[in-house]
Amino acid sequence: MSVASPISINSQDVLIAIDLQADFMPGGALAVERGHEVVPIINRLASLFEHVVVTQDWHPPGHASFASSHEGAKPFETKRLEYGDQTLWCDHCVQGTPGAELHPDLAVDLAFLILRKGMHRGIDSYSAFVEADGKTTTGLGALLKARGMKRVFACGLATDYCVAYSALGARNEGFDAFVIEDACRAIDVNNSLSEAWARMNAAEVWRVQSAEMLGPSR
């Protein structure tokens, strides 16, 4: 879904800047093409919001989502785990490693919360709201409701995985959800981007552009 008219940001809105980490940037272990391009856009957007959350993939070594944790497995293969089908990745965003660090130019000080996810060794976590088993909550939904939030604006990396799952998680929590398309970049493996947009459209996640909030001159 798309929004045509300009969007006014208010005190009930939150910006969630997702996984802007070294391993997802060009040259990183799980690089998203042109991922670095979204950082200045997100910094400008963050200046409009009273409430900003930054998420950080934070996997322990040997995480279940790593292909290296399963004998003979390769990245981007699918493996059945206890909670369902899991895309396997190369090792990335391992706790305490340089690859897990947030982009040095990201305006982290504008955030009231840095949310680390994917910390449970046996469960992946794309969404900022609930882990891949669909039951283990991060607590973010309850926190945002306690702060009076009504609308969630998601951006970052990658559109077809953590951004999409976070937007869908926001909808499941009862928030209006928006994905700022030009402030995201996608992996787009095996048609994953179009499938992600189809799921978001079905859930009434709104697709918007940064200019709808920043205006053409910013």
Side-chain angles (χ1 to χ4, degrees):
M1 302 180 70
S2 61
V3 174
S5 58
I7 299 168
S8 178
I9 302 303
N10 61 54
S11 62
Q12 294 182 317
D13 297 331
V14 59
L15 180 73
I16 304 182
I18 297 168
D19 297 359
L20 296 159
Q21 295 166 259
D23 270 344
F24 296 131
M25 299 294 166
L30 191 55
V32 180
E33 187 176 359
R34 297 164 47 229
H36 63 293
E37 295 178 354
V38 305
V39 174
I41 302 171
I42 291 171
N43 285 344
R44 293 196 298 273
L45 287 165
S47 69
L48 301 179
F49 284 79
E50 182 178 339
H51 309 280
V52 177
V53 173
V54 169
T55 74
Q56 191 173 13
D57 235 15
W58 197 247
H59 298 307
H63 192 265
S65 70
F66 296 166
S68 63
S69 299
H70 307 277
E71 187 175 356
K74 297 179 181 178
F76 301 109
E77 292 181 347
T78 299
K79 186 173 180 63
R80 188 75 175 179
L81 300 182
E82 289 184 8
Y83 54 83
D85 289 340
Q86 171 66 50
T87 300
L88 298 180
W89 309 104
C90 58
D91 291 23
H92 66 280
C93 298
V94 176
Q95 296 174 8
T97 66
E101 293 178 1
L102 293 166
H103 193 286
D105 294 336
L106 183 65
V108 176
D109 287 348
L110 295 177
F112 76 87
L113 173 68
I114 297 175
L115 176 72
R116 287 175 167 170
K117 59 186 180 64
M119 297 176 67
H120 295 98
R121 188 179 302 274
I123 311 173
D124 207 2
S125 185
Y126 298 141
S127 172
F129 292 90
V130 65
E131 299 196 0
D133 61 357
K135 299 180 293 184
T136 305
T137 179
T138 66
L140 181 59
L143 176 60
L144 296 183
K145 289 173 186 177
R147 286 176 169 250
M149 300 297 97
K150 301 295 185 184
R151 301 193 299 181
V152 168
F153 291 79
C155 57
L157 306 174
T159 317
D160 38 345
Y161 284 94
C162 294
V163 174
Y165 278 86
S166 295
L168 293 168
R171 291 294 293 137
N172 288 336
E173 292 277 359
F175 299 102
D176 291 332
F178 302 75
V179 168
I180 309 169
E181 186 176 20
D182 63 315
C184 305
R185 294 292 183 269
I187 296 175
D188 200 13
V189 173
N190 299 325
N191 209 37
S192 57
L193 182 59
S194 62
E195 290 177 359
W197 278 118
R199 292 195 303 272
M200 289 191 282
N201 287 336
E204 297 186 341
V205 172
W206 297 93
R207 185 190 308 211
V208 299
Q209 306 298 320
S210 62
E212 294 173 66
M213 288 161 277
L214 294 167
S217 63
R218 294 192 61 166

